[in-house]
Amino acid sequence: MGSSFTYSGLNTKIHGMRSKLISSDEYNEITGLSSVPDVIQYLASHPGYSGLFPDTPDDDFYHRENLEQILTVSLYENFSKIYTFSTMKQRKFLELYFMHFEIRLIKKFLRRMYNDNPLNVDIPRLEPYFERFSDIPVARAGQASDIDELINALEGTIYEAPLKKAHDLSGNNLFNYEISLDLLQYKTFWKQKGKFMSGTDLDVITDAYGYKIDLLNIQWIYRCKKYYTMTTSDILSMVIPIHYKLKKQQLIELADTENAEAFLKILKTTIYGKGLDVPEDVSVEKCYRKLMHNHYVKIFRQHPYSLACVSTYLYLQERETETLTHITECIRYSYPPEDIRKFLKIGGEQH
């Protein structure tokens, strides 16, 4: 009764927000559009995005980069709405979750430096959210032209130390920086969650994140086996040092296999083996997304009056952002609609 009362208002709010997510039928409509401007016009009239677009956009607005910025702002806007409807304890979870957004943005800064790509981030529109939920000076960090300037901009934040450590490593590269940020995120979350969560909330968040960490470790080791030549110790140094249902010895055995085929054989002996059976034409990344989608939806169905309603919605909206970005890129390069639907498995479990 207590949890139902605590979550009744938030659950109702999130139910309304979920009703505005793109449906399978709407995805099918979008994949049939012929240009990026058509996608932008479609979303501008969609209930989930209409308020984020200019009332009278000029011709220069109809570009993929502007759409990606709108989708990103939508993530922050809906996060802020959920925060407003949350209790103090629920806000503690959201404040810790915002670390995910911080790391996403820092990775964009890093990739611009290493790949010489445009930043494609609307800093002025994101800055109010960071002023509210973060201590990162995003305007200064966004202006950094190299890693030294970025580290200086992040001085005093929790990101300064891991970035410095990665900077000092031999063979300094983008991969080292991104891994250091990912390790920081999950280790921090795992350590902090028990300090402000208890009961069902702690159980569902532990299950969601423990499951995610196991699958990320599986995915990372698989990529190492399939695409790179790395020693067992090097592989184990990059996995998240948290063991949920995949035990430490099992991770060692997976990292110690000779190749991807041997990896999959060992994987089938674990609790994740059946669900991560990877056919030749399906990537392990798609298997990861499918399993995570199913797991989040299952947790929400089992415990709707808990933090499961929050974490599931945030996951689903981020997946929607990724899916719309992929669809737009495919349309930009004139992929046939049936090929886009097949590639994205439109209408499948993830939608």
Side-chain angles (χ1 to χ4, degrees):
M1 180 68 180
S3 63
S4 298
F5 177 79
T6 302
Y7 278 93
S8 59
L10 184 58
N11 189 284
T12 300
K13 177 64 178 177
I14 291 178
H15 180 76
M17 294 167 68
R18 283 190 67 173
S19 70
K20 296 180 181 179
L21 292 174
I22 305 293
S23 68
S24 294
D25 288 341
E26 288 170 333
Y27 275 121
N28 282 323
E29 291 178 16
I30 295 170
T31 57
L33 299 175
S34 59
S35 68
V36 173
D38 287 345
V39 176
I40 292 175
Q41 289 178 343
Y42 183 98
L43 292 178
S45 63
H46 190 277
Y49 296 96
S50 57
L52 298 174
F53 287 85
D55 292 333
T56 55
D58 55 30
D59 292 341
D60 292 336
F61 180 81
Y62 291 100
H63 294 286
R64 178 179 58 88
E65 292 79 9
N66 288 328
L67 175 58
E68 290 182 23
Q69 291 177 9
I70 291 291
L71 294 175
T72 300
V73 170
S74 175
L75 288 172
Y76 287 88
E77 179 67 18
N78 287 330
F79 175 92
S80 183
K81 289 177 182 177
I82 292 171
Y83 188 89
T84 300
F85 274 81
S86 297
T87 65
M88 293 303 295
K89 285 187 176 181
Q90 293 158 1
R91 288 181 177 184
K92 289 290 186 181
F93 165 74
L94 290 166
E95 288 162 4
L96 187 57
Y97 183 94
F98 198 81
M99 189 177 184
H100 171 66
F101 290 134
E102 292 175 330
I103 289 176
R104 274 172 56 106
L105 188 57
I106 294 173
K107 285 183 177 181
K108 285 181 179 291
F109 295 154
L110 289 166
R111 289 167 187 168
R112 179 196 58 184
M113 296 172 190
Y114 276 83
N115 301 327
D116 198 27
N117 292 331
L119 181 58
N120 191 28
V121 173
D122 191 344
I123 294 293
R125 291 192 72 174
L126 296 187
E127 201 164 13
Y129 302 104
F130 278 83
E131 289 175 350
R132 183 180 182 187
F133 301 114
S134 173
D135 61 352
I136 290 179
V138 289
R140 183 184 170 197
Q143 292 171 355
S145 59
D146 57 39
I147 185 63
D148 289 311
E149 289 186 7
L150 179 60
I151 291 174
N152 287 336
L154 296 175
E155 183 179 4
T157 72
I158 60 173
Y159 303 108
E160 179 186 7
L163 289 176
K164 274 186 176 180
K165 183 178 179 180
H167 192 42
D168 293 338
L169 289 174
S170 59
N172 171 39
N173 56 44
L174 177 61
F175 180 78
N176 288 338
Y177 291 120
E178 293 196 339
I179 286 294
S180 70
L181 292 172
D182 288 332
L183 290 175
L184 174 68
Q185 176 183 357
Y186 291 107
K187 287 166 67 176
T188 301
F189 190 94
W190 203 254
K191 181 179 180 180
Q192 295 292 326
K193 61 183 174 61
K195 295 182 179 181
F196 58 87
M197 284 185 276
S198 60
T200 301
D201 278 344
L202 180 58
D203 290 342
V204 298
I205 294 302
T206 298
D207 192 30
Y209 278 80
Y211 194 87
K212 183 176 184 177
I213 289 168
D214 279 351
L215 288 179
L216 282 172
N217 280 337
I218 288 170
Q219 182 176 233
W220 289 351
I221 296 174
Y222 181 77
R223 285 175 179 171
C224 291
K225 294 298 175 182
K226 189 167 184 179
Y227 303 113
Y228 307 103
T229 302
M230 298 176 64
T231 66
T232 300
S233 60
D234 284 342
I235 294 173
L236 291 174
S237 70
M238 58 170 274
V239 301
I240 304 167
I242 294 168
H243 314 291
Y244 185 52
K245 294 185 178 180
L246 192 67
K247 305 309 177 186
K248 182 177 180 180
Q249 184 56 38
Q250 291 175 316
L251 270 178
I252 294 173
E253 291 176 1
L254 289 169
D256 202 34
T257 53
E258 294 182 3
N259 50 45
E261 290 72 26
F263 170 93
L264 291 174
K265 185 175 180 180
I266 295 294
L267 181 60
K268 288 180 180 179
T269 67
T270 73
I271 192 171
Y272 296 99
K274 183 177 180 181
L276 267 178
D277 189 18
V278 186
E280 287 296 322
D281 60 340
V282 176
S283 69
V284 71
E285 289 81 5
K286 283 189 177 180
C287 289
Y288 164 80
R289 290 196 295 268
K290 175 182 177 181
L291 289 178
M292 281 310 308
H293 172 90
N294 291 345
H295 195 66
Y296 270 108
V297 171
K298 182 187 76 172
I299 292 174
F300 173 73
R301 287 173 178 167
Q302 292 175 341
H303 305 285
Y305 293 99
S306 73
L307 280 174
C309 70
V310 179
S311 61
T312 298
Y313 174 79
L314 292 172
Y315 172 80
L316 291 176
Q317 200 203 352
E318 189 158 352
R319 284 291 301 122
E320 178 172 292
T321 298
E322 294 170 358
T323 301
L324 288 171
T325 301
H326 287 313
I327 290 175
T328 305
E329 191 69 6
C330 290
I331 291 173
R332 181 189 180 199
Y333 288 103
S334 302
Y335 279 55
E338 57 273 17
D339 288 351
I340 303 176
R341 293 175 190 134
K342 181 180 179 181
F343 177 72
L344 295 170
K345 292 188 178 293
I346 300 302
E349 295 88 343
Q350 65 188 38
H351 303 297

